[in-house]
Amino acid sequence: MINSNRIKERFTMLAQIDSISKEEAQIASKLKEILTEMGAEVTMDNAAAKVNGNCGNLVAKFKGNSPVSSIMLSGHMDTVEPGRGVKVIFTDGVFTSDGTTILGSDDKSAIAIILEVMDVVRENNLPCPPVEVVLTVCEEIGLWGAKHFDLSMLESKIGYILDSTDTEGIVTQAPAANRFVIKVYGKDAHAGAHPENGINAISVASKAIAKLELGRIDHETTCNIGKIQGGKATNIVPDLVTIHGEARSHDEKKLKRVTENIINTFYSVAQSYKADIFSQKSSCSKSADDKASINDLPKVEVELEQDFPSTNISDDHVVVRLARKAAKNLGKEMESKRIGGGADANIFFGKGLVTGVLGTGMTDVHTVRESVKLEDMENTTRLLIEILQIHALGILDTKK
């Protein structure tokens, strides 16, 4: 039933359409055309204005032929850099780029699979529930499309997102994450003539960072400082440094504790510097205004936001049982997976739509070595078709 050549041609076509985050309009237009021709009711939401992009999230609804609850199938349209001018190479059943760009199988392999699933169902009049296809924007830069998606547009309470590697695994546990931006303010001065008149913001920040436990905290918690910006020139004592970082954990209490420790460490180090400086300078002949200014620095400002909530789907949930039953029917196993990354599934789960993440076989994503096998895409296509048929026929009790 599956048309391998159609998957190949469609994926190649999609991969060669530029769709960097915030620039998904061209691929969305093509997908709207394809999905409309397939008989779906296609709409676009207003996420474009909220993410400052040229395109919103795309929603395509298929009526199905079975009086059961609907299922959402989802992937994202955007890709990372270098993703302009992609040239797809297909050799021995494997898709790659020409080595100068990413391939874009993250996540266009998902889109090609979903389109093939709906084509096969339609062409063969297979049992099928109502299906709501959601293709999001700006996933790669912070899950922005999903964050700004209005779930009232959907009837589905369960679904599957195709945004992983393992074709025989379903992601059921993913961590919550907090993102923070910390600004440390010091005082500028000439680094050669009068360094004692300055307060080195980079030095303050460095001492705070040195006190942090970074990397793998435990089996379910991580922390990272990923970006530091500061300073103007080597002969100027830096008066500002900005630190960007994150903390993740499958345990909400641990996440709260790690995040608070990071923030409190910066405040504590700044306070120690402040106390030392004021003690050293208080005996000097300075005006009251000078002393007040000294007492205000170094200063710490913190911006903290939840990047995404955790996902935690029990093994007896219908989303998992459907996937496992489908895999078993195809002679395969389906293993529940715990991962350290986030996906649109985290956002949907937090909004009440339980979504398992399935794999398409994509490997080395976000690199110029990215690849995906046609066979893996075919296998995921078969899995989804089987899931839809099982649900449509009411073989499992979907109320559990």
Side-chain angles (χ1 to χ4, degrees), residues 238-311:
D239 61 350
L240 173 64
V241 62
T242 304
I243 300 97
H244 297 253
E246 65 163 36
R248 303 185 183 202
S249 184
H250 290 269
D251 184 314
E252 299 280 355
K253 291 181 179 178
K254 288 182 180 178
L255 178 60
K256 184 175 185 291
R257 187 164 61 247
V258 169
T259 303
E260 288 179 346
N261 178 65
I262 293 166
I263 294 170
N264 290 338
T265 297
F266 275 86
Y267 281 129
S268 176
V269 169
Q271 187 61 41
S272 294
Y273 259 76
K274 194 180 300 183
D276 290 344
I277 292 170
F278 189 74
S279 175
Q280 294 169 11
K281 300 293 186 180
S282 61
S283 60
C284 299
S285 56
K286 293 219 175 248
S287 68
D289 289 342
D290 286 337
K291 289 182 179 180
S293 176
I294 291 170
N295 198 39
D296 289 338
L297 298 172
K299 181 176 69 172
V300 172
E301 291 182 353
V302 178
E303 298 174 18
L304 175 65
E305 65 173 341
Q306 183 188 62
D307 200 8
F308 48 82
S310 63
T311 295

Side-chain angles (χ1 to χ4, degrees), residues 33-82:
E33 175 188 323
I34 294 171
L35 288 160
T36 301
E37 289 177 355
M38 291 168 64
E41 176 188 335
V42 184
T43 57
M44 196 83 68
D45 73 4
N46 63 353
K50 297 176 181 178
V51 303
N52 194 29
N54 64 5
C55 175
N57 299 303
L58 185 152
V59 178
K61 296 186 178 184
F62 293 87
K63 293 182 179 179
N65 54 23
S66 176
V68 296
S69 58
S70 62
I71 285 183
M72 180 192 75
L73 300 180
S74 183
H76 61 87
M77 296 184 285
D78 63 315
T79 60
V80 300
E81 296 279 20

Side-chain angles (χ1 to χ4, degrees), residues 92-303:
D92 297 329
V94 179
F95 296 98
T96 64
S97 72
D98 64 0
T100 63
T101 68
I102 52 108
L103 173 62
S105 60
D106 179 14
D107 199 23
K108 292 174 183 177
S109 60
I111 300 174
I113 289 168
I114 292 170
L115 293 176
E116 182 63 19
V117 167
M118 300 315 301
D119 264 333
V120 171
V121 166
R122 180 174 56 92
E123 292 166 353
N124 296 275
N125 195 31
L126 299 179
C128 184
V131 175
E132 297 177 314
V133 176
V134 178
L135 303 177
T136 61
V137 296
C138 296
E139 190 271 351
E140 297 289 8
I141 56 175
L143 317 178
W144 287 2
K147 287 176 179 177
H148 294 291
F149 183 71
D150 183 358
L151 280 189
S152 68
M153 296 180 67
L154 304 180
E155 295 182 6
S156 300
K157 301 301 180 185
I158 62 171
Y160 298 92
I161 291 177
L162 279 61
D163 196 7
S164 184
T165 295
D166 190 355
T167 59
E168 296 187 15
I170 178 170
V171 176
T172 58
Q173 295 183 62
N178 288 336
R179 181 178 296 184
F180 54 83
V181 178
I182 299 175
K183 294 182 178 180
V184 178
Y185 293 88
K187 182 181 180 183
D188 56 357
H190 194 291
H194 302 289
E196 62 278 0
N197 290 341
I199 299 174
N200 192 310
I202 292 178
S203 177
V204 177
S206 298
K207 283 182 167 51
I209 293 171
K211 290 178 176 289
L212 301 178
E213 184 178 5
L214 300 175
R216 173 70 61 186
I217 308 300
D218 60 32
H219 70 286
E220 57 187 0
T221 309
T222 61
C223 179
N224 187 54
I225 299 295
K227 185 177 178 182
I228 300 176
Q229 296 171 299
K232 301 171 184 175
T234 59
N235 63 347
I236 301 175
V237 175
D239 61 350
L240 173 64
V241 62
T242 304
I243 300 97
H244 297 253
E246 65 163 36
R248 303 185 183 202
S249 184
H250 290 269
D251 184 314
E252 299 280 355
K253 291 181 179 178
K254 288 182 180 178
L255 178 60
K256 184 175 185 291
R257 187 164 61 247
V258 169
T259 303
E260 288 179 346
N261 178 65
I262 293 166
I263 294 170
N264 290 338
T265 297
F266 275 86
Y267 281 129
S268 176
V269 169
Q271 187 61 41
S272 294
Y273 259 76
K274 194 180 300 183
D276 290 344
I277 292 170
F278 189 74
S279 175
Q280 294 169 11
K281 300 293 186 180
S282 61
S283 60
C284 299
S285 56
K286 293 219 175 248
S287 68
D289 289 342
D290 286 337
K291 289 182 179 180
S293 176
I294 291 170
N295 198 39
D296 289 338
L297 298 172
K299 181 176 69 172
V300 172
E301 291 182 353
V302 178
E303 298 174 18

